[in-house]
Every structure is written in C-alpha cells, then in structure tokens.
Amino acid sequence: MSKLTIAIPSKGRLQENTHDFFARAGLQVTQPGGARNYRGAIKGLKDVEIAFLSASEIARELAAGSVHFGITGLDLVHETITDPASSVHIVTPLGFGGADVVTAVPKAWIDVESMADLGDVASDFRNRHGRRLRVATKYVNLTRSYFAAHGIADYRIVESAGATEGAPAAGAAELIVDITSTGSTLHANNLKVLSDGVMLRSQAHLVASLSAGWSETALAGARAILDQVAAEEAARINKLVRARVPDRAAALSAAAEEGASELFDGVQDEVLTLLCPKASVPACARKLIALGATRVTVETLDYVFGEENPLFAPLAVKVTAA
Ligand SMILES: Nc1ncnc2c1ncn2[C@@H]1O[C@H](COP(=O)(O)OP(=O)(O)OP(=O)(O)O)[C@@H](O)[C@H]1O
Ligand SMILES: O=P(O)(O)OC[C@H]1O[C@H](OP(=O)(O)OP(=O)(O)O)[C@H](O)[C@@H]1O
Ligand SMILES: [Mg+2]
C-alpha cells in the first residue's frame, strides 16, 4: 500500500459535512464508480485514494492500520480502539458532528441526580431484586470504564444495536448510555442525563493511523492534503488587516495584544499588513486608529500557506518514529 488512503463516512450524520470540509479546503472528492462504489479519489492528487466506509468501520480500520487517515467521531475512536494514544494520532477536530455520550435514567427516578446516586441505586437494586441493574448501550467499553471510575460495579450491560432510548420503556433495561446532541430523543423517551453523566464530548476529527504503512508516497500525499487543510483553516479563523501607521513598532505591539501578527515578517513597508484573529479585528482596528492610522482595511483570505504546517509536523514526527 504505497498510496495514501483516506476513509470517509459513506452514510449517516457525518457524510455531508465531510464533503463540505474537503470542498472548503479546495479538495474535490470524486466517486468514479458511482454512488454504490466504495472507492474514490481526489481530483488532481493521483497518489491519494478514498475509501467510503461507515463511521464505526473507519475507527476499526484506523486501529488495524488499513487506512492512513480517517474522518470519524471521537466517541467511536474511544469506544472502538483499545489504546487510542498508541495506535492513532488525532490530527485536528473538524467543527461538526458534535454530540455527547451520556448516562441517562428515567425522569421518574427523582432521587437519582448523579453518578453517586446511581451507584447507591445499583447496590440497592441488587439486594432487593437479586439481579443487577441493566444498562442498554452500544458504548460497552466507554460505559465500563466510566462506571468503574465512579465505583459502580453492580450492573450488567445489555448491548443495543439501535433505538437505545426505548430500552427502559420496553423493559429491556433500567437505564441507558447513548449519544445525544439536541436531547430530543432522550426527552421523548422520558429520560434525563445525570448531572455528572457526560462521559465524552465528541465531534468529528481527522485521525491518522500510526500503524498504516507510511511510505514516502503516503507521507507526501498527507503533506499535500494537510497543507490545504491548514491553509484553509488559517484563512477561516483570521482576517487580513492593513493600516498606515506613523510608528510601526508601537502599532505592532498593540496588535500583538489582540493576537495579531505581521503577515510577512521582516518586510518594512509603510503599510502594516497583519494577520488578525477574526474576533479581535474590531479591537485591533480601534488600537491602530488610536496610534495614528487614518484608515484600517480588513480583508477575507482564501488560503494562508506557511513554511511550517502545524498539522503535518506532529504527524510526521510520530509516523517516522513508529
Ligand atoms: N445526534 C447524534 N447522534 C448520534 N451520533 C451523532 C450525533 N451527532 C453526531 N454524531 C456522530 O456521528 C457518528 C456516526 O453516527 P451515524 O448515526 O451517522 O452512524 P451509524 O450509521 O450509526 O454508524 P454505524 O452504521 O457504523 O453504526 C456518531 O458516532 C457521532 O460521532
Ligand atoms: O439528541 P438527539 O438529537 O435526539 O440525537 C440522539 C439520537 O441520534 C442517534 O441516533 P441515530 O439517529 O443516529 O440513529 P441510529 O441509532 O440508528 O444510529 C443517537 O443514537 C440518538 O438516538
Ligand atoms: Mg447513529
């Protein structure tokens, strides 16, 4: 496997946003074999191959080293991969697919508000009924470690393949662990999240496999992709700010207080050209005007490529050491 293989969700909640993410970075994903063919490509990058898989398969393939990059939820990374730190590298969060993995109990359990309360109920339940409390979930591993960390041992997991929130009403379990974003499914099923019941805040991430064969070709492909991703991100979170100021040094240090820096350092133009975090632009402009600028102009950028790539460098260190 010398090409770089990127696994992306072929269905479900992460699919559409994943395509938007690549499009923003100027990367066009193509599916030459049609929508039912599970291999694709990226226009203009001949050494990059796309594998269309489900979000949970992507986590498995990353752990197995059969793909280099994957886009999947952090929930699936932690549930599916035994020791994530040793087998994958988190490249960057993607800003979509946000949802929490939570412990939820029936609203009718008015005395149960926290994991500690749940621990008490679990022991009582066993004494009273002679069987253990049942937790319906597909997050078996996350549940085991979170419950253990809260000292809860008197329970049994009932593996759920879907519609987990229905399990208590159906009599299949007493409580659930599942993922939620709007909370409407929990509410519709008369369930409430425990006060300290959020076990993981998840969102979609770009993840790299440490055990995939990182050939020279694969690394070059990764560099090409991450250059565009990093350039788009830098352009999205910053603005270009220009002003003519009487005292460059004073203006630069005022701008630095707002997180802005010279776009092309070492250039002694009359006009100061700054890269400034979006949210700090108004404050930065006020300071520049206070320091003698008559006008401050602000522009939106498409890409900011840099000599250093903050996404590629840490990955390269890990995969070349592996
Ligand atoms: N409200 C949500 N509910 C569930 N998952 C969400 C939500 N919001 C974002 N996600 C993310 O989407 C991921 C994939 O969920 P999705 O339902 O699309 O896959 P799936 O079809 O259930 O996958 P599979 O068929 O492999 O089980 C979740 O693991 C999670 O990271
Ligand atoms: O907080 P909410 O906005 O109500 O979303 C939560 C629901 O969404 C997910 O199911 P999904 O629709 O993905 O179906 P699935 O269980 O078949 O994957 C999850 O398992 C919850 O049931
Ligand atoms: Mg789902």
Side-chain angles (χ1 to χ4, degrees), residues 288-303:
L288 294 170
I289 287 171
L291 287 167
T294 52
R295 283 224 168 87
V296 176
T297 63
V298 180
E299 291 160 65
T300 297
L301 300 161
D302 287 335
Y303 297 104

Side-chain angles (χ1 to χ4, degrees), residues 42 153 156 206 247:
I42 292 184
R156 170 164 90 76
L206 178 61
D247 181 347

